[in-house]
Every structure is written in C-alpha cells, then in structure tokens.
Coordinates of all heavy atoms in Angstrom, one line a residue:
M16 N 26.6 -18.1 -10.9 CA 26.1 -16.9 -10.1 C 25.7 -17.4 -8.7 O 25.0 -18.4 -8.6 CB 24.9 -16.3 -10.9 CG 24.4 -15.0 -10.3 SD 23.0 -14.3 -11.2 CE 23.6 -14.0 -12.8
S17 N 26.1 -16.7 -7.7 CA 25.8 -17.0 -6.4 C 24.3 -16.8 -6.1 O 23.6 -16.1 -6.8 CB 26.6 -16.2 -5.4 OG 26.2 -14.9 -5.3
G18 N 23.8 -17.4 -5.0 CA 22.4 -17.2 -4.7 C 22.0 -15.8 -4.4 O 20.9 -15.3 -4.8
E19 N 22.9 -15.1 -3.7 CA 22.6 -13.6 -3.4 C 22.6 -12.8 -4.7 O 21.8 -11.9 -4.9 CB 23.6 -13.1 -2.4 CG 23.3 -11.8 -1.9 CD 24.2 -11.3 -0.8 OE1 24.3 -12.1 0.2 OE2 24.9 -10.3 -0.9
A20 N 23.6 -13.1 -5.5 CA 23.6 -12.3 -6.8 C 22.4 -12.6 -7.7 O 21.8 -11.7 -8.3 CB 24.9 -12.7 -7.6
R21 N 22.0 -13.9 -7.7 CA 20.8 -14.3 -8.4 C 19.5 -13.6 -7.9 O 18.7 -13.1 -8.7 CB 20.6 -15.8 -8.4 CG 19.5 -16.3 -9.2 CD 19.7 -16.1 -10.6 NE 18.5 -16.4 -11.4 CZ 18.2 -16.1 -12.6 NH1 19.2 -15.5 -13.3 NH2 17.1 -16.4 -13.2
E22 N 19.4 -13.5 -6.6 CA 18.3 -12.9 -5.9 C 18.3 -11.4 -6.3 O 17.2 -10.8 -6.6 CB 18.3 -13.0 -4.4 CG 17.1 -12.4 -3.7 CD 17.2 -12.6 -2.2 OE1 17.6 -13.7 -1.8 OE2 16.9 -11.6 -1.5
A23 N 19.4 -10.7 -6.3 CA 19.5 -9.3 -6.7 C 19.1 -9.1 -8.1 O 18.4 -8.2 -8.5 CB 20.9 -8.8 -6.4
W24 N 19.6 -10.0 -9.0 CA 19.2 -10.0 -10.4 C 17.7 -10.1 -10.6 O 17.1 -9.4 -11.4 CB 20.0 -11.0 -11.2 CG 19.6 -11.1 -12.6 CD1 18.8 -12.0 -13.2 CD2 20.1 -10.2 -13.7 NE1 18.7 -11.7 -14.6 CE2 19.5 -10.6 -14.9 CE3 21.0 -9.2 -13.7 CZ2 19.8 -10.0 -16.1 CZ3 21.2 -8.5 -14.9 CH2 20.6 -8.9 -16.1
D25 N 17.1 -11.1 -9.9 CA 15.7 -11.3 -10.0 C 14.9 -10.1 -9.6 O 13.9 -9.7 -10.2 CB 15.3 -12.6 -9.2 CG 15.8 -13.9 -9.9 OD1 16.2 -13.9 -11.0 OD2 15.8 -14.9 -9.1
F26 N 15.4 -9.5 -8.5 CA 14.7 -8.3 -7.9 C 14.8 -7.2 -8.9 O 13.7 -6.6 -9.2 CB 15.4 -7.9 -6.6 CG 14.8 -6.7 -6.0 CD1 13.6 -6.7 -5.4 CD2 15.5 -5.5 -6.1 CE1 13.0 -5.5 -4.8 CE2 15.0 -4.3 -5.5 CZ 13.8 -4.4 -4.9
L27 N 15.9 -6.9 -9.5 CA 16.0 -5.8 -10.4 C 15.2 -6.1 -11.7 O 14.6 -5.2 -12.3 CB 17.5 -5.6 -10.8 CG 18.3 -5.0 -9.6 CD1 19.8 -5.0 -10.0 CD2 17.9 -3.6 -9.2
A28 N 15.2 -7.3 -12.1 CA 14.4 -7.7 -13.3 C 12.9 -7.4 -13.0 O 12.1 -6.9 -13.9 CB 14.6 -9.1 -13.7
L29 N 12.4 -7.8 -11.8 CA 11.0 -7.5 -11.4 C 10.7 -6.1 -11.3 O 9.7 -5.6 -11.7 CB 10.7 -8.3 -10.1 CG 9.2 -8.2 -9.7 CD1 8.3 -8.6 -10.7 CD2 9.0 -8.9 -8.4
V30 N 11.7 -5.3 -10.8 CA 11.5 -3.8 -10.7 C 11.3 -3.3 -12.1 O 10.4 -2.5 -12.3 CB 12.7 -3.1 -10.0 CG1 12.6 -1.6 -10.2 CG2 12.8 -3.5 -8.5
A31 N 12.1 -3.7 -13.0 CA 12.0 -3.2 -14.4 C 10.6 -3.6 -15.0 O 10.0 -2.8 -15.7 CB 13.1 -3.8 -15.3
R32 N 10.2 -4.9 -14.8 CA 8.9 -5.3 -15.3 C 7.7 -4.5 -14.7 O 6.8 -4.1 -15.4 CB 8.7 -6.8 -15.1 CG 9.5 -7.7 -16.0 CD 9.1 -9.1 -16.0 NE 8.9 -9.7 -14.8 CZ 9.8 -10.5 -14.1 NH1 11.0 -10.6 -14.7 NH2 9.6 -11.0 -13.0
V33 N 7.8 -4.3 -13.4 CA 6.7 -3.6 -12.7 C 6.7 -2.1 -13.3 O 5.6 -1.6 -13.6 CB 6.9 -3.5 -11.2 CG1 6.1 -2.5 -10.5 CG2 6.7 -4.9 -10.5
Q34 N 7.8 -1.5 -13.4 CA 7.8 -0.1 -14.0 C 7.4 -0.1 -15.4 O 6.7 0.8 -15.9 CB 9.2 0.5 -13.8 CG 9.2 2.0 -13.9 CD 10.5 2.6 -13.4 OE1 11.5 2.0 -13.4 NE2 10.4 3.8 -12.9
G35 N 7.7 -1.2 -16.2 CA 7.2 -1.3 -17.5 C 5.7 -1.4 -17.6 O 5.1 -0.9 -18.5
E36 N 5.1 -2.1 -16.7 CA 3.6 -2.3 -16.6 C 2.9 -1.0 -16.2 O 1.8 -0.7 -16.6 CB 3.2 -3.4 -15.6 CG 3.6 -4.8 -16.0 CD 2.7 -5.3 -17.1 OE1 1.6 -4.9 -17.2 OE2 3.3 -6.0 -17.9
D37 N 3.6 -0.2 -15.4 CA 3.0 1.1 -15.0 C 4.1 2.2 -15.0 O 4.8 2.4 -14.0 CB 2.4 1.0 -13.6 CG 1.6 2.3 -13.2 OD1 1.7 3.3 -13.8 OD2 0.9 2.2 -12.1
P38 N 4.3 2.9 -16.1 CA 5.4 3.8 -16.3 C 5.2 5.1 -15.3 O 6.2 5.8 -15.2 CB 5.3 4.3 -17.7 CG 4.4 3.3 -18.4 CD 3.6 2.6 -17.4
R39 N 4.1 5.2 -14.7 CA 3.9 6.3 -13.8 C 4.7 6.1 -12.5 O 5.0 7.0 -11.7 CB 2.5 6.6 -13.4 CG 1.6 6.9 -14.6 CD 0.1 6.9 -14.2 NE -0.3 5.6 -13.8 CZ -1.4 5.3 -13.2 NH1 -2.3 6.3 -13.0 NH2 -1.7 4.1 -12.9
L40 N 5.1 4.9 -12.2 CA 5.8 4.5 -11.0 C 7.3 5.0 -11.1 O 7.9 4.8 -12.1 CB 5.8 3.0 -10.7 CG 4.5 2.4 -10.5 CD1 4.7 0.9 -10.4 CD2 3.9 2.9 -9.3
T41 N 7.7 5.6 -10.0 CA 9.2 5.9 -9.9 C 9.9 4.6 -9.7 O 9.4 3.6 -9.4 CB 9.5 6.9 -8.8 OG1 9.2 6.2 -7.5 CG2 8.6 8.1 -8.8
G42 N 11.2 4.7 -9.8 CA 12.1 3.5 -9.6 C 11.9 3.0 -8.2 O 11.8 1.8 -7.9
I43 N 11.8 3.9 -7.2 CA 11.7 3.5 -5.8 C 10.3 2.8 -5.6 O 10.1 1.8 -4.9 CB 11.9 4.6 -4.8 CG1 13.4 5.1 -4.9 CG2 11.5 4.3 -3.4 CD1 13.7 6.4 -4.1
Q44 N 9.3 3.4 -6.2 CA 7.9 2.9 -6.1 C 7.9 1.5 -6.7 O 7.3 0.5 -6.1 CB 6.9 3.8 -6.7 CG 6.7 5.1 -6.0 CD 5.8 6.0 -6.7 OE1 5.5 5.9 -7.9 NE2 5.3 7.0 -6.0
A45 N 8.5 1.3 -7.9 CA 8.5 0.0 -8.5 C 9.3 -1.0 -7.6 O 8.9 -2.2 -7.5 CB 9.1 0.0 -9.9
A46 N 10.3 -0.6 -7.0 CA 11.1 -1.4 -6.1 C 10.3 -1.8 -4.8 O 10.5 -2.9 -4.3 CB 12.4 -0.7 -5.7
L47 N 9.5 -0.9 -4.3 CA 8.7 -1.2 -3.1 C 7.7 -2.3 -3.5 O 7.5 -3.2 -2.7 CB 8.0 0.1 -2.7 CG 8.7 1.0 -1.8 CD1 8.1 2.4 -1.8 CD2 8.9 0.5 -0.4
V48 N 7.1 -2.2 -4.7 CA 6.1 -3.2 -5.1 C 6.9 -4.6 -5.3 O 6.4 -5.6 -4.9 CB 5.5 -2.8 -6.4 CG1 4.7 -3.9 -7.1 CG2 4.6 -1.5 -6.2
A49 N 8.0 -4.5 -5.9 CA 8.8 -5.8 -6.2 C 9.2 -6.4 -4.8 O 9.2 -7.6 -4.7 CB 10.0 -5.5 -7.0
A50 N 9.6 -5.5 -3.9 CA 10.0 -6.1 -2.6 C 8.9 -6.7 -1.9 O 9.1 -7.8 -1.2 CB 10.6 -4.9 -1.7
A51 N 7.7 -6.2 -2.0 CA 6.5 -6.8 -1.3 C 6.2 -8.1 -2.1 O 5.9 -9.1 -1.4 CB 5.3 -5.9 -1.4
R52 N 6.3 -8.2 -3.4 CA 6.0 -9.4 -4.2 C 7.0 -10.5 -3.9 O 6.6 -11.6 -3.7 CB 6.0 -9.0 -5.6 CG 6.0 -10.2 -6.6 CD 4.6 -10.9 -6.6 NE 4.5 -11.9 -7.6 CZ 5.0 -13.1 -7.5 NH1 5.6 -13.5 -6.5 NH2 4.8 -13.9 -8.5
M53 N 8.3 -10.2 -3.7 CA 9.3 -11.2 -3.5 C 9.5 -11.5 -2.0 O 10.3 -12.4 -1.7 CB 10.6 -10.7 -4.2 CG 10.6 -10.7 -5.7 SD 12.1 -10.2 -6.4 CE 13.1 -11.6 -6.0
G54 N 8.9 -10.7 -1.1 CA 9.2 -11.0 0.3 C 10.5 -10.4 0.8 O 11.0 -10.8 1.8
V55 N 11.1 -9.5 0.0 CA 12.4 -8.9 0.3 C 12.2 -7.9 1.6 O 13.1 -7.9 2.4 CB 13.0 -8.1 -0.9 CG1 14.2 -7.3 -0.5 CG2 13.3 -9.1 -2.0
A56 N 11.1 -7.2 1.6 CA 10.8 -6.3 2.7 C 9.3 -6.0 2.7 O 8.7 -5.9 1.7 CB 11.6 -5.0 2.5
S57 N 8.8 -5.9 3.9 CA 7.4 -5.7 4.1 C 7.2 -4.4 5.0 O 6.1 -4.2 5.5 CB 6.7 -6.8 4.7 OG 7.2 -7.2 6.0
D58 N 8.3 -3.7 5.3 CA 8.2 -2.5 6.0 C 9.2 -1.5 5.5 O 10.2 -1.8 4.9 CB 8.4 -2.7 7.5 CG 9.8 -3.0 7.9 OD1 10.7 -2.1 8.0 OD2 10.1 -4.2 8.0
S59 N 8.9 -0.2 5.7 CA 9.7 0.9 5.1 C 11.2 0.9 5.6 O 12.1 1.2 4.8 CB 9.0 2.2 5.4 OG 8.9 2.4 6.8
R60 N 11.4 0.6 6.9 CA 12.7 0.7 7.4 C 13.6 -0.4 6.9 O 14.8 -0.1 6.5 CB 12.7 0.6 9.0 CG 14.0 0.8 9.7 CD 14.5 2.2 9.7 NE 13.7 3.0 10.5 CZ 13.8 4.3 10.6 NH1 14.9 4.9 10.0 NH2 13.1 5.1 11.3
T61 N 13.1 -1.6 6.8 CA 13.9 -2.7 6.2 C 14.2 -2.4 4.8 O 15.4 -2.6 4.3 CB 13.1 -4.0 6.4 OG1 12.9 -4.3 7.8 CG2 13.9 -5.2 5.8
F62 N 13.2 -1.9 4.0 CA 13.4 -1.6 2.6 C 14.5 -0.6 2.5 O 15.5 -0.7 1.7 CB 12.1 -1.1 2.0 CG 12.2 -0.7 0.6 CD1 12.1 -1.7 -0.4 CD2 12.5 0.6 0.2 CE1 12.3 -1.3 -1.8 CE2 12.6 0.9 -1.1 CZ 12.5 0.0 -2.1
A63 N 14.4 0.5 3.2 CA 15.4 1.6 3.2 C 16.8 1.1 3.5 O 17.8 1.5 2.8 CB 15.0 2.8 4.1
N64 N 16.9 0.3 4.6 CA 18.2 -0.2 4.9 C 18.8 -1.1 3.9 O 20.0 -1.0 3.5 CB 18.2 -0.9 6.3 CG 18.0 0.1 7.4 OD1 18.3 1.3 7.3 ND2 17.4 -0.4 8.5
R65 N 18.0 -2.0 3.3 CA 18.5 -3.0 2.4 C 18.9 -2.3 1.1 O 19.9 -2.8 0.4 CB 17.4 -4.0 2.1 CG 17.2 -4.9 3.3 CD 16.7 -6.3 3.0 NE 17.6 -7.1 2.3 CZ 17.3 -8.3 1.8 NH1 16.0 -8.7 2.0 NH2 18.1 -9.1 1.2
L66 N 18.3 -1.2 0.7 CA 18.6 -0.5 -0.6 C 19.5 0.7 -0.3 O 19.9 1.3 -1.3 CB 17.4 -0.2 -1.3 CG 16.9 -1.3 -2.2 CD1 16.3 -2.4 -1.4 CD2 15.9 -0.8 -3.2
G67 N 19.8 1.0 0.9 CA 20.7 2.1 1.2 C 20.1 3.5 0.9 O 20.7 4.4 0.4
L68 N 18.8 3.6 1.2 CA 18.0 4.8 0.9 C 17.6 5.5 2.2 O 17.5 4.9 3.2 CB 16.7 4.5 0.1 CG 16.9 3.9 -1.3 CD1 15.6 3.4 -1.8 CD2 17.6 4.9 -2.2
A69 N 17.4 6.8 2.1 CA 16.9 7.6 3.3 C 15.4 7.1 3.6 O 14.6 7.0 2.7 CB 16.9 9.0 3.0
H70 N 15.2 6.8 4.9 CA 13.9 6.4 5.3 C 12.8 7.4 4.9 O 11.7 7.0 4.5 CB 13.9 6.0 6.8 CG 12.6 5.4 7.2 ND1 11.9 5.8 8.3 CD2 12.0 4.3 6.7 CE1 10.9 5.0 8.4 NE2 10.9 4.1 7.5
A71 N 13.1 8.6 5.0 CA 12.0 9.6 4.7 C 11.7 9.6 3.2 O 10.5 9.8 2.9 CB 12.6 11.0 5.1
L72 N 12.6 9.3 2.4 CA 12.3 9.2 0.9 C 11.4 8.0 0.7 O 10.4 8.1 -0.1 CB 13.6 9.1 0.2 CG 13.5 8.9 -1.4 CD1 12.8 10.1 -2.0 CD2 14.9 8.8 -2.0
V73 N 11.7 6.9 1.3 CA 10.9 5.7 1.2 C 9.5 5.9 1.7 O 8.6 5.5 1.0 CB 11.6 4.5 1.9 CG1 10.7 3.3 1.9 CG2 12.9 4.2 1.3
L74 N 9.4 6.6 2.8 CA 8.0 6.9 3.3 C 7.2 7.7 2.4 O 6.0 7.5 2.2 CB 8.1 7.6 4.7 CG 8.6 6.7 5.9 CD1 8.8 7.6 7.1 CD2 7.6 5.6 6.2
R75 N 7.8 8.7 1.8 CA 7.1 9.5 0.8 C 6.6 8.7 -0.4 O 5.5 8.8 -0.8 CB 8.0 10.7 0.3 CG 7.3 11.6 -0.6 CD 8.2 12.7 -1.1 NE 9.1 12.2 -2.1 CZ 10.2 12.8 -2.5 NH1 10.6 13.9 -2.0 NH2 11.0 12.2 -3.3
E76 N 7.5 7.9 -0.9 CA 7.1 7.0 -2.1 C 6.0 6.0 -1.7 O 5.1 5.7 -2.4 CB 8.3 6.4 -2.7 CG 9.4 7.3 -3.2 CD 8.9 8.1 -4.4 OE1 7.9 7.8 -5.0 OE2 9.6 9.0 -4.8
L77 N 6.2 5.5 -0.5 CA 5.2 4.5 0.0 C 3.8 5.1 0.2 O 2.8 4.5 -0.2 CB 5.7 3.9 1.4 CG 5.0 2.7 1.9 CD1 4.9 1.5 1.0 CD2 5.6 2.2 3.2
N78 N 3.8 6.3 0.7 CA 2.5 7.0 0.9 C 1.8 7.3 -0.4 O 0.6 7.2 -0.6 CB 2.7 8.2 1.8 CG 2.9 7.9 3.2 OD1 2.4 7.0 3.8 ND2 3.7 8.7 3.9
A79 N 2.7 7.7 -1.4 CA 2.1 7.9 -2.8 C 1.5 6.6 -3.3 O 0.4 6.7 -3.9 CB 3.2 8.5 -3.7
L80 N 2.2 5.5 -3.1 CA 1.6 4.2 -3.6 C 0.3 3.9 -2.9 O -0.6 3.4 -3.5 CB 2.6 3.1 -3.4 CG 3.8 3.1 -4.3 CD1 4.8 2.0 -3.9 CD2 3.4 2.8 -5.7
A81 N 0.2 4.2 -1.6 CA -0.9 3.8 -0.8 C -2.1 4.7 -1.2 O -3.2 4.2 -1.3 CB -0.7 4.1 0.7
E82 N -1.9 6.0 -1.6 CA -2.9 6.8 -2.1 C -3.6 6.3 -3.4 O -4.8 6.5 -3.6 CB -2.4 8.2 -2.3 CG -2.1 9.0 -1.0 CD -1.5 10.4 -1.3 OE1 -1.4 10.8 -2.5 OE2 -1.1 11.0 -0.3
R83 N -2.8 5.6 -4.2 CA -3.2 5.1 -5.4 C -3.8 3.6 -5.3 O -4.2 3.1 -6.3 CB -2.1 5.1 -6.5 CG -1.7 6.5 -6.9 CD -0.7 6.5 -8.0 NE -0.8 5.5 -9.0 CZ 0.2 5.0 -9.7 NH1 1.4 5.3 -9.4 NH2 -0.1 4.1 -10.6
G84 N -3.7 3.1 -4.1 CA -4.2 1.7 -3.9 C -3.2 0.6 -4.3 O -3.6 -0.6 -4.4
V85 N -2.0 1.0 -4.7 CA -1.0 0.0 -5.1 C -0.5 -0.8 -3.9 O -0.3 -2.0 -4.1 CB 0.2 0.7 -5.9 CG1 1.2 -0.3 -6.2 CG2 -0.4 1.4 -7.1
V86 N -0.4 -0.2 -2.8 CA 0.0 -0.9 -1.5 C -1.1 -0.6 -0.5 O -1.8 0.4 -0.6 CB 1.4 -0.6 -1.0 CG1 2.5 -1.0 -2.0 CG2 1.5 0.9 -0.6
R87 N -1.1 -1.4 0.5 CA -2.0 -1.2 1.7 C -1.1 -1.0 2.9 O -0.2 -1.8 3.1 CB -2.9 -2.4 1.9 CG -4.0 -2.1 2.9 CD -4.9 -3.3 3.2 NE -4.1 -4.3 3.9 CZ -4.1 -5.7 3.5 NH1 -4.8 -6.1 2.5 NH2 -3.4 -6.5 4.2
I88 N -1.3 0.0 3.7 CA -0.6 0.2 4.9 C -1.2 -0.6 6.0 O -2.4 -0.5 6.3 CB -0.6 1.7 5.3 CG1 0.0 2.6 4.2 CG2 0.2 2.0 6.6 CD1 1.4 2.4 3.8
D89 N -0.4 -1.5 6.6 CA -0.9 -2.4 7.6 C -0.6 -1.9 9.0 O -1.3 -2.4 9.9 CB -0.2 -3.8 7.4 CG -0.7 -4.5 6.2 OD1 -1.9 -4.3 5.8 OD2 0.0 -5.3 5.7
G90 N 0.3 -1.0 9.2 CA 0.6 -0.4 10.5 C 1.8 0.5 10.5 O 2.6 0.5 9.6
R91 N 1.7 1.4 11.5 CA 2.8 2.3 11.6 C 3.3 2.4 13.0 O 2.5 2.4 14.0 CB 2.4 3.7 11.2 CG 2.0 3.9 9.8 CD 1.6 5.3 9.5 NE 0.8 5.4 8.3 CZ 1.2 5.9 7.1 NH1 2.5 6.3 7.0 NH2 0.5 5.9 6.1
D92 N 4.6 2.5 13.2 CA 5.2 2.7 14.6 C 5.3 4.2 14.7 O 6.1 4.8 14.0 CB 6.5 2.0 14.7 CG 7.1 2.1 16.1 OD1 7.2 3.2 16.6 OD2 7.6 1.1 16.6
A93 N 4.6 4.8 15.7 CA 4.6 6.2 15.8 C 6.0 6.8 16.2 O 6.4 7.9 15.8 CB 3.6 6.6 16.9
R94 N 6.8 6.0 17.0 CA 8.1 6.5 17.4 C 9.1 6.4 16.3 O 9.8 7.4 16.0 CB 8.6 5.6 18.6 CG 9.9 6.1 19.2 CD 10.3 5.2 20.4 NE 10.5 3.8 20.0 CZ 11.6 3.4 19.5 NH1 12.6 4.2 19.2 NH2 11.7 2.1 19.2
T95 N 9.2 5.3 15.5 CA 10.2 5.2 14.5 C 9.7 5.5 13.1 O 10.6 5.6 12.2 CB 10.8 3.7 14.5 OG1 9.7 2.8 14.1 CG2 11.3 3.3 15.8
M96 N 8.4 5.6 12.9 CA 7.8 5.8 11.6 C 7.9 4.6 10.7 O 7.6 4.7 9.5 CB 8.4 7.1 10.9 CG 8.2 8.4 11.7 SD 6.4 8.7 11.9 CE 5.8 8.9 10.3
R97 N 8.4 3.5 11.2 CA 8.4 2.2 10.4 C 7.0 1.9 10.0 O 6.1 1.9 10.8 CB 9.0 1.1 11.2 CG 9.1 -0.2 10.4 CD 9.6 -1.4 11.3 NE 10.9 -1.1 11.9 CZ 12.0 -1.6 11.4 NH1 12.0 -2.4 10.4 NH2 13.2 -1.3 12.0
T98 N 6.8 1.8 8.7 CA 5.5 1.5 8.2 C 5.5 0.1 7.5 O 6.2 -0.1 6.6 CB 5.2 2.6 7.1 OG1 5.2 3.9 7.8 CG2 3.8 2.4 6.5
H99 N 4.6 -0.7 7.9 CA 4.4 -2.1 7.4 C 3.4 -1.9 6.2 O 2.4 -1.3 6.3 CB 3.9 -3.0 8.5 CG 4.9 -3.2 9.5 ND1 5.9 -4.2 9.5 CD2 5.1 -2.6 10.7 CE1 6.6 -4.1 10.5 NE2 6.2 -3.1 11.3
Y100 N 3.7 -2.7 5.2 CA 2.8 -2.6 4.0 C 2.7 -3.9 3.3 O 3.6 -4.8 3.5 CB 3.3 -1.5 3.0 CG 4.6 -1.8 2.3 CD1 4.6 -2.3 1.0 CD2 5.8 -1.7 2.9 CE1 5.7 -2.6 0.3 CE2 7.0 -2.0 2.2 CZ 6.9 -2.5 1.0 OH 8.1 -2.8 0.3
C101 N 1.7 -4.0 2.4 CA 1.6 -5.2 1.5 C 1.0 -4.7 0.2 O 0.6 -3.5 0.1 CB 0.7 -6.3 2.2 SG -1.0 -5.8 2.5
L102 N 0.9 -5.6 -0.7 CA 0.4 -5.2 -2.0 C -1.1 -4.9 -1.9 O -1.8 -5.6 -1.2 CB 0.6 -6.3 -3.1 CG 2.0 -6.5 -3.4 CD1 2.1 -7.7 -4.4 CD2 2.7 -5.3 -4.0
G103 N -1.6 -3.9 -2.6 CA -3.0 -3.5 -2.5 C -3.7 -4.0 -3.8 O -3.1 -4.6 -4.7
P104 N -5.0 -3.6 -3.9 CA -5.8 -4.1 -5.0 C -5.4 -3.5 -6.3 O -5.6 -4.2 -7.4 CB -7.2 -3.7 -4.6 CG -7.0 -2.6 -3.6 CD -5.7 -2.8 -2.9
A105 N -4.7 -2.4 -6.4 CA -4.4 -1.8 -7.6 C -2.9 -2.1 -8.1 O -2.4 -1.6 -9.0 CB -4.5 -0.3 -7.6
A106 N -2.3 -3.1 -7.4 CA -0.9 -3.4 -7.7 C -0.9 -4.2 -9.0 O -1.7 -5.1 -9.2 CB -0.3 -4.3 -6.6
V107 N 0.0 -3.8 -9.9 CA 0.3 -4.5 -11.1 C 1.6 -5.2 -10.9 O 2.7 -4.6 -10.9 CB 0.4 -3.6 -12.3 CG1 0.8 -4.3 -13.5 CG2 -0.9 -2.9 -12.5
V108 N 1.6 -6.5 -10.7 CA 2.8 -7.3 -10.4 C 2.9 -8.5 -11.4 O 2.2 -9.5 -11.2 CB 2.9 -7.8 -9.0 CG1 4.2 -8.5 -8.7 CG2 2.6 -6.6 -8.0
P109 N 3.8 -8.4 -12.4 CA 3.9 -9.5 -13.3 C 4.5 -10.7 -12.6 O 5.3 -10.5 -11.6 CB 4.9 -9.0 -14.4 CG 5.3 -7.6 -14.0 CD 4.6 -7.3 -12.7
I110 N 4.2 -11.8 -13.0 CA 4.8 -13.1 -12.5 C 6.1 -13.4 -13.0 O 6.5 -13.1 -14.1 CB 3.8 -14.3 -12.7 CG1 2.4 -14.0 -12.2 CG2 4.4 -15.5 -12.1 CD1 2.2 -14.2 -10.7

C-alpha cells in the first residue's frame, strides 16, 4: 500500500472510530475532528478542497461542532470565510 493510500485508510478508520464514539456526529463532523487530530486540515477551505465538499456545507458542520465545544474556532477570514479550527475540550478522539 502506498503512503498516500495508507494515509487515506488511516483517516477513514479514524473517522469511523470518532463517529462510533459519538453517534450524534455526522460523517462530515467526524471527518472534521479526524482531520484536526491527524493534521490533515486545520481550516475549513483546505478541508473542503481535500475532500471535494462545498465550503458552505463544511462551514455549517464546523459551526455545529463549535457550538457543542467539540472544536474551537481560532479565526475567520471575513472575505473568504475560511475558518481556522482546532479540537475543543469536548472532542472525543480515540488514539
């Protein structure tokens, strides 16, 4: 298995574990948590581009996570709406 394929496999496995720990999370929300944990993405635009998702959809899911304390919003670009985030105190992230 190539390094990129292995990274993708590890990411998807972590998404499944995160969602298993908190079934209230949507797939995108679990992926946002996994991306922050693995260092895959720490902002909404990068996450949306890497996963081929609409940025507006990612922003909606990210805001829902922030309201629950799962992620912390570190900054927003008013022009592009790029939102930087990290794991919050309520994040459940299996090792």
Side-chain angles (χ1 to χ4, degrees):
M16 186 179 299
S17 74
E19 189 173 304
R21 181 67 188 168
E22 183 179 317
W24 177 261
D25 290 345
F26 176 74
L27 292 174
L29 182 56
V30 169
R32 285 196 310 267
V33 167
Q34 202 166 23
E36 291 289 326
D37 187 349
R39 298 173 298 170
L40 296 178
T41 67
I43 294 173
Q44 290 172 346
L47 282 160
V48 171
R52 169 69 172 84
M53 292 181 70
V55 172
S57 62
D58 71 82
S59 59
R60 182 75 65 186
T61 300
F62 179 86
N64 288 338
R65 290 203 69 186
L66 273 71
L68 298 169
H70 188 231
L72 177 60
V73 172
L74 288 173
R75 183 180 72 197
E76 299 291 349
L77 189 56
N78 287 325
L80 286 174
E82 287 176 7
R83 291 183 42 209
V85 176
V86 298
R87 185 182 75 225
I88 303 298
D89 289 333
R91 296 180 200 257
D92 183 312
R94 186 179 60 80
T95 65
M96 298 301 296
R97 182 183 300 258
T98 302
H99 294 271
Y100 72 99
C101 64
L102 295 177
V107 175
V108 184
I110 304 278

